[in-house]
Amino acid sequence: MNSSKKAQTALISVFHKEGLAPIVSKLDKLGVQIYSTGGTERFIKEQGVAVTPVEDLTSYPSILGGRVKTLHPKVFGGILSRREEESDVAQLDTYEIPEIDIVIVDLYPFEKTVASGAGEQDIIEKIDIGGISLIRAAAKNFKDVLCVSCMDQYDELLSLLDESNGVTTLAERKAFAAKAFEVSSHYDSAIFNYFNSDRKISALKVSYSNGMPLRYGENPHQQGTFFGDFDSLFEKLHGKALSYNNLLDIDAAVHLMNEFREDLPTFAILKHNNACGLATRATVKEAYVDALAGDPVSAFGGILITNTAIDKETAEEIHKLFCEVVIAPEFSEDALEVLKGKKNRILLIQKPTSLPNTQIRTCLNGILEQDRDAKTDSLSDLKNVTDLKPSKSELEDLLFASKLCKHTKSNTIVLAKNKQLCASGTGQTSRVDALNQAIQKAGVFNFDLEGAVMASDAFFPFPDCVEIAQASGIKSVIQPGGSIKDQLSIDYCNENGLSMVMTGTRHFKH
C-alpha cells in the first residue's frame, strides 16, 4: 500500500495568525478545500481564499460564546476515519462526512496568560478544548492525516507543501504526530501545574520544549541537552557556545549573587559550582581584585559574576585572567570592547527574572523534588550564645560568610574577614577536614586570619572545630546549632574569648 498521501482537504483553527497567510495561499493553489471557523475563517477570507465554514459542515452554529465550535462527529469523523477500513469509508458516505487530510491548530496561549498575571477567569478561558482535541485526533490517525500542532511548524509545513505539492509520506506525518503529542502533553502539564499550585496532589509534571543541544555533557563521552528558556534569563553578547559545565557553574553563580542583590558592589569567582573568591567593596574594580585574591589559582578558567555594571577599569583587570564566563547586569561599551578581546570568552547580561522556587534532580529510578533553600540568615535570626557578643563589623562578616556558606558544597567551612572570602573548605566528609582545608588554603594565599570569622553549614557535634579556629586567630563563629553537645563548643568559646551566634537554620548543599 502506498503510504504517500495527497491532501484534498484541510481544517484550520489557530490562535496565532502570523505566518499563516502563505500557507492558506499555497493550499488554495493546490486545490485543497479549506474548512475553518471563527477568527481563523475571517482571516482566510481576508486573504482572498475560499473557505468553508465548519458550521456549514456540521449544520450547527458555534455556541456558548465560542466554547463549542469543532466538537462534532462530522469534524472528528473526517479526521479519525481509517481510509483502509471499508466500514469507516461506508459510514462517512452514509453520514456525508468529508475526509480531512490536514489539520492545522495553534492552541490558546495558556502559559502566557498565566505568566501575565491575568485573573482566574481569563486563565480558565484560555484552556483550549476543541484545539487540543483536534490535535490528538489528527495525530492518532497519522497514517492518513497530517497534524500541524503549533505556529512553530508553519514554516516546515510551507516547505513541505512547496516541495511535494501537497503529498506527504508516512514518515513525515508520523514526525508531525510526535510533535503534536509533545505539544498536547506540555499543554496539559502546564494546566495541571496551575491547578496544583498548592501541591496537594503528590504528582510531578515537568515539561520543557525546544531543548538546546550541547557539545557534550559533563564529559566528552556523555551527551547533553539544556531544557529551559535561557534567553529569558540572559542576553548573550559574545563568546563560544555554552557547555554543560558552564551552565551548572552559571546556575551556582546566579544563586549565590542573588544573596547580594541589594549590597554594595560584590564580585564572585566560581569553579566547579563553588566560590573560590568573593568580596564586597566600594567599587566593582576593588570587589573583583579582592575576590581574585581569594584564590587566583582556582580562578583560572572560572565563572565571574557581579551585582553591578562592569566598567572599563574592571574589564581591564578581568582581561588579564583566562575565564570562561563573565556575568553582569550591565557592561559599559568600552568594557565590552576590552572583554571581547578574547573570542571565546562568554559575556552575559543577567536579566531581572525570578528563578524557580523548587529544585528537582534524578535519584535512583526516580526524581527528588524540594523547595529551594530561600532562607537567608539575617540579623534578626542570630542568637548570641556566648558571653562575648560579636562587634558590628564581625556581625557583617558573619552574615557575609553565612550567605556564601549556604551556596558551598557540604561539608563546608567558610572563613571571611572584612567582607572578603579568605578561604573555604568544600565538599569534605568531615567538618574538621573542611576547616583544616580552609586554614591551609588561607595560608597559601597569605591571609592573616587574626580577627576573621568562621561560618559552618551545620552544627558542631564536638568542640574540635572551635578549638582549631581559635588557634588560627578566628574571633567569631556563626553556625546553626542544634547538637546535643552545643554547650561544649559554647563553653570553649567562653573560656577562650570567642563570640558565637546560632541561626537555627542548617544549609546543607549536596
Side-chain angles (χ1 to χ4, degrees):
M1 183 175 64
N2 184 9
S3 66
S4 294
K5 302 272 185 180
K6 181 171 177 61
Q8 305 291 334
T9 56
L11 172 64
I12 307 177
S13 179
V14 302
F15 183 86
H16 291 100
K17 314 299 189 295
E18 299 88 346
L20 186 63
I23 291 172
V24 296
S25 176
K26 182 65 178 180
L27 290 172
D28 186 49
K29 289 177 183 177
L30 292 173
V32 174
Q33 182 176 1
I34 299 174
Y35 296 93
S36 191
T37 187
T40 307
E41 178 194 342
R42 290 192 296 272
F43 176 83
I44 295 171
K45 286 179 177 177
E46 289 168 2
Q47 310 310 307
V49 173
V51 56
T52 300
V54 167
E55 292 83 351
D56 289 358
L57 171 63
T58 64
S59 299
Y60 219 94
S62 171
I63 62 173
L64 306 181
R67 280 189 166 196
V68 180
K69 291 180 284 191
T70 57
L71 296 169
H72 194 282
K74 282 203 169 184
V75 174
F76 282 85
I79 296 170
L80 286 165
S81 65
R82 294 157 292 187
R83 277 49 162 180
E84 74 279 8
E85 292 283 338
E86 290 184 8
S87 60
D88 284 11
V89 174
Q91 287 185 17
L92 293 191
D93 185 57
T94 298
Y95 297 108
E96 299 180 333
I97 300 173
E99 294 177 345
I100 295 176
D101 303 317
I102 299 176
V103 173
I104 304 174
V105 175
D106 183 67
L107 298 170
Y108 293 161
F110 177 81
E111 286 181 282
K112 287 184 178 178
T113 305
V114 172
S116 73
E120 183 175 90
Q121 190 55 43
D122 288 337
I123 290 170
I124 298 304
E125 290 304 320
K126 288 299 185 292
I127 297 176
D128 207 312
I129 303 300
I132 204 78
S133 302
L134 291 170
I135 287 174
R136 291 179 63 84
K140 176 178 180 176
N141 201 26
F142 69 88
K143 286 186 178 180
D144 297 302
V145 180
L146 179 69
C147 180
V148 180
S149 53
C150 63
M151 68 179 299
D152 293 342
Q153 292 184 301
Y154 288 177
D155 288 344
E156 187 178 358
L157 172 62
L158 187 59
S159 296
L160 196 62
L161 294 173
D162 284 337
E163 292 167 6
S164 61
N165 289 319
V167 176
T168 60
T169 67
L170 179 62
E172 289 167 340
R173 294 192 299 276
K174 191 171 185 178
F176 272 79
K179 175 63 177 177
F181 285 117
E182 187 276 321
V183 168
S184 66
S185 64
H186 179 84
Y187 197 77
D188 286 340
S189 292
I191 294 169
F192 167 76
N193 288 330
Y194 170 76
F195 278 93
N196 195 42
S197 60
D198 56 7
R199 296 158 73 183
K200 287 185 177 179
I201 299 175
S202 183
L204 178 64
K205 307 293 181 186
V206 180
S207 179
Y208 289 99
S209 301
N210 302 321
M212 180 173 73
L214 306 173
R215 287 172 295 169
Y216 50 80
E218 200 161 6
N219 299 292
H221 62 277
Q222 296 170 266
Q223 189 176 15
T225 306
F226 173 73
F227 292 95
D229 188 1
F230 187 83
D231 291 339
S232 71
L233 294 175
F234 301 99
E235 179 184 353
K236 185 181 177 188
L237 303 177
H238 182 73
K240 63 183 179 180
L242 288 153
S243 71
Y244 182 98
N245 292 331
N246 287 156
L247 289 166
L248 285 177
D249 283 333
I250 290 168
D251 177 75
V254 167
H255 280 93
L256 171 60
M257 195 50 64
N258 273 356
E259 303 283 353
F260 299 91
R261 282 194 306 269
E262 307 302 324
D263 289 47
L264 290 172
T266 301
F267 222 109
I269 304 173
L270 289 90
K271 194 77 170 286
H272 296 293
N273 305 163
N274 293 305
C276 58
L278 179 71
T280 298
R281 293 291 181 263
T283 69
V284 65
K285 179 184 175 182
E286 292 172 318
Y288 168 72
V289 169
D290 285 351
L292 179 63
D295 186 347
V297 175
S298 296
F300 182 86
I303 306 294
L304 280 57
I305 187 168
T306 183
N307 62 352
T308 191
I310 292 180
D311 55 27
K312 183 181 180 181
E313 271 193 311
T314 309
E316 288 171 341
E317 289 296 325
I318 294 171
H319 194 58
K320 299 172 185 176
L321 174 73
F322 168 71
C323 56
E324 290 271 335
V325 182
V326 184
I327 307 167
E330 185 181 346
F331 296 85
S332 68
E333 286 299 322
D334 47 6
L336 281 177
E337 188 176 343
V338 172
L339 293 172
K340 286 181 178 180
K342 297 287 179 65
K343 68 176 183 179
N344 287 329
R345 180 184 286 144
I346 298 165
L347 304 178
L348 301 174
I349 289 180
Q350 184 180 350
K351 300 176 183 178
T353 307
S354 60
L355 293 164
N357 293 322
T358 57
Q359 297 173 316
I360 60 173
R361 65 194 296 181
T362 57
C363 179
L364 300 176
N365 62 347
I367 288 174
L368 286 171
E369 179 194 30
Q370 69 170 354
D371 295 332
R372 180 172 58 86
D373 184 358
K375 173 64 176 174
T376 298
D377 298 328
S378 64
L379 271 176
S380 61
D381 298 314
L382 305 187
K383 179 183 178 182
N384 292 298
V385 295
T386 51
D387 297 335
L388 183 65
K389 304 299 185 284
S391 67
K392 182 177 181 296
S393 62
E394 284 173 338
L395 283 171
E396 291 176 350
D397 280 346
L398 289 169
L399 292 175
F400 174 91
S402 174
K403 290 177 180 179
L404 177 52
C405 200
K406 170 184 166 182
H407 293 277
T408 306
K409 294 288 186 182
S410 300
N411 287 311
T412 184
I413 293 288
V414 170
L415 306 179
K417 185 177 179 180
N418 299 326
K419 293 187 179 179
Q420 179 184 23
L421 171 63
C422 300
S424 59
T426 62
Q428 299 301 300
T429 53
S430 155
R431 201 158 302 283
V432 171
D433 287 345
L435 175 54
N436 284 329
Q437 181 191 54
I439 292 170
Q440 185 270 337
K441 191 173 181 180
V444 168
F445 297 112
N446 301 314
F447 280 98
D448 178 6
L449 294 179
E450 187 65 33
V453 305
M454 174 174 75
S456 175
D457 59 340
F459 63 64
F460 300 123
F462 304 101
D464 44 11
C465 280
V466 290
E467 292 170 7
I468 297 167
Q470 186 266 336
S472 68
I474 302 295
K475 295 300 182 186
S476 194
V477 179
I478 184 170
Q479 58 129 329
S483 169
I484 59 173
K485 296 184 179 180
D486 276 345
Q487 195 60 45
L488 294 178
S489 294
I490 295 170
D491 289 344
Y492 184 88
C493 289
N494 284 335
E495 292 164 7
N496 291 274
L498 276 73
S499 62
M500 179 188 287
V501 296
M502 293 184 179
T503 65
T505 303
R506 189 182 72 185
H507 291 294
F508 270 165
K509 184 184 180 189
H510 294 104

